[in-house]
């Protein structure tokens, strides 16, 4: 019970990594508020049902993280439901794969505003609430292996993941004096809806799997443990860290 009686908030949690983290947080004793936007209400409510099945409370709050006002609205809904915020996980992100030379402006701008601007607004709102509470907290930004390396069809995406990593470095300094720890997790290639189409290409999938010393691509549940660790008091002296969760993909040159 690493998060007993804590309140954890997570964005983009109707599926994938966000859903897996939300459910494990509940298993570890937390009440959980999830944000969602592109997914259906049914999908979000299914995640809440899975949270409730652990015996903990869950709520789903729809909001487009790219819209700054969605951040205080999410925090307000969670505090109304559970009375506080102990842990915030900024997870929402998109990756519409597209070539660089003819990248449509709207795809570039949407990716930036969801992945980077959304993370900033949400983390700022969560930190403001934690400051009001005066008891510190833990904030985790979901960056990526793609903060460190590039992708031909991710020229709009990898800068957002590098930006999240850099942001966590800076907010770790800004918030450390208030007992708010800020860290980043860097998933490798995790099989979710975000890359379902990309990995449907057998050659691409075989190449990506071949890059992983552990011999398999990740699944959302592989991220739950590392995120819960950073959220928990086991990581009480961990601040400004970057935790790769990639099966060894990043270090595998030859
Ligand atoms: C990750 C990494 C993966 C890709 C997803 C969409 O950050 O780049 O390889 O499948 O994004």
């Amino acid at each position: 019970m690493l998060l007993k009686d804590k309140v954890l908030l997570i964005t983009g949690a109707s599926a994938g990594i966000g859903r897996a983290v939300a459910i494990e947080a509940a298993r570890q004793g937390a009440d959980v508020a999830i944000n969602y936007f592109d997914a259906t209400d049914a999908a979000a409510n299914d995640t809440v049902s899975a949270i409730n099945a652990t015996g903990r409370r869950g709520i789903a709050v729809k909001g487009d993280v790219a819209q700054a006002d969605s951040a205080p609205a999410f925090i307000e809904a969670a505090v109304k439901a559970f009375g506080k915020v102990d842990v915030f996980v900024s997870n929402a992100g998109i990756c519409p794969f597209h070539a660089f030379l003819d990248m449509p402006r709207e795809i570039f701008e949407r990716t930036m505003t969801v992945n980077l601007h959304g993370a900033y607004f949400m983390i700022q709102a969560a930190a403001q609430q934690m400051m009001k509470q005066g008891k510190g907290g833990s904030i985790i930004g979901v960056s990526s292996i793609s903060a460190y390396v590039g992708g031909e069809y991710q020229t709009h995406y990898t800068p957002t993941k590098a930006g999240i990593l850099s942001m966590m470095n800076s907010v770790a300094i800004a918030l450390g004096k208030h007992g708010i720890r800020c860290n980043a997790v860097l998933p490798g290639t995790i099989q979710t809806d975000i890359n379902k189409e990309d990995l449907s290409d057998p050659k691409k999938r075989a190449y990506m799997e071949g890059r992983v010393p552990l011999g398999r691509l990740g699944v959302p549940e592989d991220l739950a443990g590392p995120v819960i660790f950073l959220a928990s008091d086991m990581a009480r002296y961990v601040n400004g860290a970057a935790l790769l969760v990639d099966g060894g993909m990043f270090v595998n040159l030859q």
Side-chain angles (χ1 to χ4, degrees), residues 95 97 143-146 154 157 161 187-190 194-195 198-199 208 249:
C95 182
F97 288 82
S143 174
S144 166
I145 186 173
S146 295
Q154 296 179 302
Y157 169 82
K161 291 304 183 177
T189 301
I190 312 299
I194 200 172
N195 52 24
D198 182 59
L199 294 174
M208 299 302 277
M249 177 184 261

Side-chain angles (χ1 to χ4, degrees), residues 11-83:
T11 60
S14 62
I17 291 171
R19 175 184 165 94
V21 169
I23 294 169
E24 185 59 31
R27 287 197 189 108
Q28 294 292 332
D31 291 328
V32 181
I34 70 167
N35 151 276
Y36 72 104
F37 183 64
D38 288 336
T40 63
D41 293 347
N45 291 333
D46 185 69
T47 297
V48 171
S49 296
I51 292 165
N52 293 151
T54 71
R56 301 304 303 197
R57 298 174 295 172
I59 62 167
V61 182
K62 187 166 187 173
D64 179 359
V65 299
Q67 301 301 318
D69 290 345
S70 70
F74 183 36
I75 301 300
E76 185 180 328
V79 171
K80 183 178 179 182
F82 303 135

Side-chain angles (χ1 to χ4, degrees), residues 145 148-149 188-189 205-217 244-254:
I145 186 173
Y148 292 153
V149 289
T189 301
R205 185 183 186 89
Y207 167 72
M208 299 302 277
E209 285 175 342
R211 289 282 316 262
V212 185
L214 288 185
R216 66 172 177 86
L217 298 180
L244 269 169
V245 186
D246 70 346
M249 177 184 261
F250 174 66
V251 298
N252 183 19
L253 175 60
Q254 58 189 312

